[in-house]
Short mmCIF file of all heavy atoms in Angstrom, two decimals:
data_model
loop_
_atom_site.label_atom_id
_atom_site.label_comp_id
_atom_site.label_asym_id
_atom_site.label_seq_id
_atom_site.Cartn_x
_atom_site.Cartn_y
_atom_site.Cartn_z
N LYS A 68 -17.74 -11.95 -4.77
CA LYS A 68 -18.85 -11.10 -5.15
C LYS A 68 -19.02 -10.10 -4.00
O LYS A 68 -18.96 -10.50 -2.86
CB LYS A 68 -20.06 -11.84 -5.47
CG LYS A 68 -20.03 -12.65 -6.73
CD LYS A 68 -21.23 -13.50 -6.89
CE LYS A 68 -22.38 -12.74 -7.56
NZ LYS A 68 -23.51 -13.60 -7.87
N GLY A 69 -19.27 -8.81 -4.34
CA GLY A 69 -19.56 -7.78 -3.31
C GLY A 69 -20.84 -7.94 -2.70
O GLY A 69 -21.70 -8.80 -3.04
N ASP A 70 -21.20 -7.01 -1.78
CA ASP A 70 -22.52 -6.96 -1.17
C ASP A 70 -23.59 -6.58 -2.17
O ASP A 70 -23.34 -5.94 -3.15
CB ASP A 70 -22.51 -5.88 -0.03
CG ASP A 70 -21.60 -6.25 1.11
OD1 ASP A 70 -21.34 -7.49 1.28
OD2 ASP A 70 -21.20 -5.28 1.85
N LYS A 71 -24.76 -7.05 -1.87
CA LYS A 71 -25.93 -6.80 -2.84
C LYS A 71 -26.32 -5.32 -2.68
O LYS A 71 -26.46 -4.83 -1.56
CB LYS A 71 -27.07 -7.78 -2.50
CG LYS A 71 -28.26 -7.56 -3.43
CD LYS A 71 -29.26 -8.61 -3.24
CE LYS A 71 -29.34 -9.43 -4.56
NZ LYS A 71 -30.37 -10.40 -4.48
N VAL A 72 -26.58 -4.72 -3.85
CA VAL A 72 -27.06 -3.35 -3.91
C VAL A 72 -28.47 -3.44 -4.54
O VAL A 72 -28.64 -3.96 -5.61
CB VAL A 72 -26.15 -2.50 -4.77
CG1 VAL A 72 -26.67 -1.07 -4.88
CG2 VAL A 72 -24.79 -2.47 -4.19
N ILE A 73 -29.40 -2.85 -3.83
CA ILE A 73 -30.77 -2.84 -4.31
C ILE A 73 -31.01 -1.50 -5.11
O ILE A 73 -30.78 -0.42 -4.58
CB ILE A 73 -31.83 -2.86 -3.20
CG1 ILE A 73 -31.60 -4.18 -2.33
CG2 ILE A 73 -33.24 -2.83 -3.71
CD1 ILE A 73 -31.77 -5.45 -3.12
N VAL A 74 -31.52 -1.64 -6.36
CA VAL A 74 -31.88 -0.45 -7.19
C VAL A 74 -33.37 -0.48 -7.30
O VAL A 74 -34.04 -1.34 -7.85
CB VAL A 74 -31.22 -0.58 -8.58
CG1 VAL A 74 -31.56 0.56 -9.42
CG2 VAL A 74 -29.72 -0.80 -8.49
N PHE A 75 -33.97 0.65 -6.72
CA PHE A 75 -35.46 0.73 -6.66
C PHE A 75 -35.84 2.00 -7.36
O PHE A 75 -35.38 3.10 -7.00
CB PHE A 75 -35.93 0.73 -5.23
CG PHE A 75 -37.43 0.70 -5.12
CD1 PHE A 75 -38.18 -0.47 -5.37
CD2 PHE A 75 -38.11 1.86 -4.68
CE1 PHE A 75 -39.52 -0.46 -5.26
CE2 PHE A 75 -39.46 1.87 -4.61
CZ PHE A 75 -40.23 0.70 -4.90
N LYS A 76 -36.70 1.85 -8.36
CA LYS A 76 -37.17 3.04 -9.09
C LYS A 76 -38.76 3.12 -8.91
O LYS A 76 -39.43 2.16 -8.91
CB LYS A 76 -36.91 2.89 -10.52
CG LYS A 76 -35.46 2.87 -10.89
CD LYS A 76 -35.18 2.68 -12.37
CE LYS A 76 -33.72 2.54 -12.67
NZ LYS A 76 -33.47 2.40 -14.08
N LYS A 77 -39.20 4.35 -8.77
CA LYS A 77 -40.63 4.61 -8.51
C LYS A 77 -41.01 5.94 -9.09
O LYS A 77 -40.32 6.88 -8.94
CB LYS A 77 -41.01 4.50 -7.06
CG LYS A 77 -42.36 4.73 -6.68
CD LYS A 77 -42.67 4.71 -5.22
CE LYS A 77 -44.10 5.10 -4.93
NZ LYS A 77 -44.39 5.19 -3.52
N LYS A 78 -42.28 5.98 -9.67
CA LYS A 78 -42.78 7.22 -10.08
C LYS A 78 -44.17 7.38 -9.35
O LYS A 78 -45.04 6.53 -9.50
CB LYS A 78 -43.03 7.32 -11.60
CG LYS A 78 -41.69 7.33 -12.37
CD LYS A 78 -41.94 7.51 -13.84
CE LYS A 78 -40.63 7.47 -14.56
NZ LYS A 78 -40.74 7.56 -16.02
N ARG A 79 -44.23 8.44 -8.54
CA ARG A 79 -45.50 8.52 -7.70
C ARG A 79 -46.72 8.79 -8.53
O ARG A 79 -46.63 9.44 -9.59
CB ARG A 79 -45.28 9.52 -6.64
CG ARG A 79 -45.06 10.98 -7.12
CD ARG A 79 -44.78 11.88 -6.02
NE ARG A 79 -44.92 13.26 -6.49
CZ ARG A 79 -45.14 14.29 -5.73
NH1 ARG A 79 -45.25 14.06 -4.43
NH2 ARG A 79 -45.21 15.47 -6.19
#
Side-chain angles (χ1 to χ4, degrees):
K68 290 172 86 173
D70 294 335
K71 184 171 240 183
V72 178
I73 303 297
V74 180
F75 185 75
K76 298 178 182 180
K77 178 183 176 184
K78 292 185 181 176
R79 63 185 194 157

